[in-house]
């Protein structure tokens, strides 16, 4: 009863914030359409989170001579060498899928964004949503691990809709209103990452005791239904936000510029950013490297958390859904009531505090032998997350001239995608080889770097 009360309170609270942001900041319908499109997309995307460990166990038991078995035969000798338990093989496969998905998004998003500068936002948005819908249909048809991998591949390479959504918001809002309009994107993520896993957990709950070979079809088809609804919604409601006279003449130049967002050397050096003095250039590089190191290690825990609770604490999918609800609730309350009101002169210190808090979170989760210690670590994890990303992005927006803001934030998004492409596979490999405790404690040691790096920047 208490859980239902908290859940209903969370939904009502977000509805009030959404209505206020929309009514206060948006004169036309475009940002509303973008918000609801993102919400539908994220609900479908996050449904799989509590289901993934069970899904991989399912393919492991089912796939006797398929892709899973072929890969498994190659890793058996390594498993014996590292004395890795057989039951956590799925962690390694999950890490591979998570990193593949993020890496494909890292590659495709800048190119899709460049194409949208030439051919318009709406056509490319529709193309992305068709690919996403197809990926869920492939999931529903995935009778073996190979088809499931193909589904994740198609989904990852089609995930440029988020970058296009931000471009659309930039097209239709003034610089003064843009920050508040972008807050809708954060709220869409917050709601999606709370309700989506709960939907996935609900499907797992209704199929409990009936885990036949096709149990995953129901959640996959529901995700496909959400994606199809999103596609039709965008086709009929989204107006083109980039007039023909404002478009690039050819896509080739835009794609060449997009390569800057894919080349790691250019990313870390911010070579495409101009108009900065030496101090600003130094601060920007330090912030970029701090953000990358933090997110690389952070994404490893974030991704392996469901496998930890599944294999070590034997959480059901429904329990994992409640776990995500708790994380999202803590983040939403902090971001809505405190973080967004942090005075400008305290933004850096709050970001640094959040970077320090993630260290004991890793330690507590890594050494947890009972759910009390686990929940305490998750609480610190959620508090830190609410503080770090928002404050880091706020610091970034203070650097450089106005005409370079889009380039700077675009590079930071690419650094984040690159970090998420490497973090899950490395953490999953460590989990598989050395166990969760060693992996998280090593992560905690390396997490000493980001707050120390942040201290070397000049005052912002």
């Amino acid at each position: 009863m208490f859980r239902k009360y908290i859940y209903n309170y969370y939904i009502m609270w977000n509805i009030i914030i959404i209505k206020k942001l929309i009514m206060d900041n948006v004169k036309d319908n475009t940002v509303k359409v973008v918000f609801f499109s993102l919400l539908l997309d994220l609900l479908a995307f996050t449904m799989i989170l509590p289901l993934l460990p069970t899904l991989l166990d399912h393919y492991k038991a089912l796939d006797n001579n398929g892709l899973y078995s072929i890969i498994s035969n190659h890793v058996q000798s390594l498993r014996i060498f590292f004395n890795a338990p057989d039951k956590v093989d799925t962690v390694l496969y999950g890490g591979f899928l998570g990193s593949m998905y993020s890496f494909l998004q890292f590659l495709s998003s800048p190119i899709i964004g460049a194409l949208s500068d030439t051919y318009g936002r709406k056509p490319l948005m529709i193309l992305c949503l068709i690919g996403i819908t197809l990926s869920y249909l492939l999931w529903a048809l995935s009778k073996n691990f190979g088809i499931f991998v193909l589904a994740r591949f198609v989904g990852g390479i089609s995930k440029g809709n988020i970058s296009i959504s931000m471009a659309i918001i930039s097209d239709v809002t003034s610089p003064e209103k843009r920050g508040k309009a972008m807050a809708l994107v954060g709220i869409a993520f917050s709601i999606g990452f709370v309700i989506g896993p709960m939907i996935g957990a609900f499907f797992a709950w209704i199929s409990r005791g009936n885990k036949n070979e096709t149990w995953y079809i129901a959640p996959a088809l529901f995700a496909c239904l959400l994606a199809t609804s999103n596609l039709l919604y965008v086709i009929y409601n989204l107006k083109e936000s980039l007039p023909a006279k404002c478009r690039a003449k050819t896509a080739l130049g835009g794609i060449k510029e997009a390569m800057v967002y894919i080349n790691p050397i250019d990313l870390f050096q911010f070579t495409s950013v101009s108009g900065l003095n030496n101090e600003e250039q130094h601060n920007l590089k330090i912030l970029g490297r701090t953000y990358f190191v933090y997110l690389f290690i952070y994404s490893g825990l974030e991704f392996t958390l469901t496998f930890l609770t599944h294999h070590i604490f034997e959480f059901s999918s429904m329990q994992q859904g409640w776990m995500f609800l708790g994380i999202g609730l803590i983040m939403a309350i902090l971001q809505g009531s405190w973080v967004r009101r942090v005075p400008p002169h305290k933004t850096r210190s709050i970001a640094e505090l959040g970077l320090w808090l993630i260290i004991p979170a890793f330690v507590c989760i890594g050494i947890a032998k009972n759910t009390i210690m686990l929940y305490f670590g998750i609480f610190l994890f959620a508090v830190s997350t609410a503080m770090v990303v928002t404050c880091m992005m706020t610091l970034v927006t203070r650097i450089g001239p106005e005409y370079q803001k889009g380039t700077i934030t675009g590079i930071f998004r690419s650094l984040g995608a690159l970090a998420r492409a490497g973090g899950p596979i490395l953490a999953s490999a460590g989990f598989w080889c050395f166990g969760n405790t060693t992996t998280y404690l090593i992560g905690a040691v390396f997490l000493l770097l980001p707050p120390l790096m942040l201290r070397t920047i000049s005052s912002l």
Side-chain angles (χ1 to χ4, degrees):
M1 193 65 165
F2 179 72
R3 284 179 174 178
K4 290 182 179 179
Y5 173 78
I6 292 294
Y7 188 72
N8 291 334
Y9 173 79
Y10 172 81
I11 299 301
M12 290 297 296
W13 187 70
N14 276 285
I15 289 174
I16 293 170
I17 293 176
I18 292 166
K19 289 180 67 176
K20 187 176 187 304
L21 282 168
I22 290 177
M23 295 303 293
D24 288 351
N25 302 297
V26 185
K27 293 182 179 180
D28 59 57
N29 196 48
T30 303
V31 176
K32 298 178 187 178
V33 174
V34 169
F35 168 76
F36 288 113
S37 173
L38 275 175
L39 184 58
L40 287 170
D41 175 66
L42 291 165
L43 287 175
F45 170 72
T46 56
M47 275 180 55
I48 199 173
L49 294 178
L51 299 176
L52 190 56
T54 307
L55 265 173
L56 293 175
D57 285 340
H58 167 77
Y59 289 120
K60 179 180 180 180
L62 185 68
D63 201 351
N64 293 324
N65 297 302
L67 180 62
Y68 196 106
S69 297
I70 294 173
I71 298 174
S72 181
N73 291 334
H74 287 289
V75 301
Q76 283 303 312
S77 57
L78 287 174
R79 184 180 68 80
I80 295 171
F81 177 79
F82 287 108
N83 196 29
D86 181 63
K87 73 172 186 176
V88 299
D89 280 357
T90 53
V91 181
L92 194 63
Y93 290 79
F96 160 73
L97 289 173
S99 289
M100 180 192 74
Y101 196 96
S102 295
F103 184 70
L104 290 169
Q105 186 178 355
F106 165 72
L107 292 178
S108 66
S109 291
I111 296 174
I112 291 173
L115 291 173
S116 76
D117 288 339
T118 301
Y119 300 107
R121 311 297 188 203
K122 186 172 180 177
L124 270 297
M125 175 71 88
I126 291 173
L127 184 63
C128 289
L129 295 180
I130 289 173
I132 291 169
T133 303
L134 177 61
S135 73
Y136 294 128
L137 182 60
L138 285 170
W139 176 22
L141 299 174
S142 59
K143 294 183 178 180
N144 57 62
F145 185 63
I147 299 177
F148 182 69
V149 171
L150 177 62
R152 300 301 290 173
F153 182 92
V154 173
I157 209 165
S158 303
K159 208 60 180 172
N161 64 309
I162 295 177
S163 294
I164 294 178
S165 296
M166 294 182 177
I168 292 172
I169 291 176
S170 296
D171 291 339
V172 301
T173 57
S174 63
E176 297 78 23
K177 298 287 185 71
R178 193 167 300 150
K180 291 184 178 180
M182 286 291 186
L184 285 170
V185 176
I187 292 176
F189 270 85
S190 178
I191 296 176
F193 273 82
V194 171
I195 300 180
M198 290 300 297
I199 296 173
F202 172 75
F203 277 105
W205 179 75
I206 62 176
S207 65
R208 69 192 189 285
N210 187 31
K211 285 288 194 302
N212 54 42
E213 293 185 2
T214 59
W215 67 271
Y216 58 87
I217 291 180
L221 287 178
F222 188 79
C224 188
L225 176 63
L226 289 174
T228 304
S229 302
N230 190 12
L231 175 62
L232 296 175
Y233 177 72
V234 166
I235 290 174
Y236 287 106
N237 293 282
L238 181 65
K239 296 179 181 179
E240 178 56 58
S241 64
L242 187 64
K245 63 180 180 181
C246 298
R247 297 179 189 176
K249 293 182 179 180
T250 63
L252 185 59
I255 291 177
K256 286 182 178 178
E257 291 179 5
M259 292 300 108
V260 172
Y261 295 88
I262 297 175
N263 186 335
I265 296 176
D266 288 331
L267 283 177
F268 285 105
Q269 294 299 321
F270 291 86
T271 53
S272 61
V273 181
S274 59
L276 303 181
N277 58 42
N278 291 335
E279 182 182 29
E280 288 178 325
Q281 190 77 28
H282 170 77
N283 288 344
L284 195 56
K285 289 180 181 180
I286 294 298
L287 282 173
R289 293 164 188 171
T290 301
Y291 184 65
F292 176 83
V293 173
Y294 162 77
L295 205 56
F296 185 91
I297 304 171
Y298 168 93
S299 64
L301 182 146
E302 179 187 46
F303 186 84
T304 56
L305 185 59
T306 54
F307 291 93
L308 172 73
T309 54
H310 175 72
H311 289 296
I312 307 301
F313 292 93
E314 299 182 347
F315 275 22
S316 66
S317 296
M318 182 59 74
Q319 287 175 300
Q320 290 184 340
W322 286 114
M323 177 183 70
F324 281 110
L325 171 63
I327 292 173
L329 183 62
I330 293 167
M331 289 174 56
I333 291 174
L334 287 176
Q335 289 175 334
S337 62
W338 173 52
V339 175
R340 70 186 180 93
R341 293 193 177 99
V342 170
H345 67 280
K346 290 188 177 181
T347 304
R348 177 183 164 188
S349 61
I350 296 300
E352 186 178 329
L353 176 61
L355 290 172
W356 285 117
L357 280 178
I358 195 68
I359 299 172
F362 264 61
V363 173
C364 291
I365 294 173
I367 66 174
K369 301 300 181 184
N370 54 62
T371 55
I372 295 176
M373 180 66 77
L374 176 70
Y375 288 146
F376 181 68
I378 291 173
F379 171 78
L380 293 177
F381 175 79
V383 171
S384 170
T385 303
M387 297 163 66
V388 173
V389 176
T390 301
C391 291
M392 288 283 287
M393 292 307 297
T394 301
L395 291 173
V396 168
T397 59
R398 296 178 184 172
I399 299 176
E402 190 65 36
Y403 68 89
Q404 289 281 276
K405 300 295 187 185
T407 302
I408 293 171
T409 55
I411 291 174
F412 263 77
R413 284 197 298 270
S414 292
L415 283 171
L418 183 61
R420 289 184 178 279
I425 187 62
L426 185 63
S428 298
F431 193 115
W432 180 73
C433 294
F434 310 116
N436 60 292
T437 300
T438 301
T439 301
Y440 292 149
L441 291 181
I442 291 174
V445 172
F446 280 99
L447 279 170
L448 292 168
L449 293 174
L452 295 176
M453 293 167 65
L454 188 62
R455 284 191 171 188
T456 63
I457 67 173
S458 304
S459 59
L460 284 175

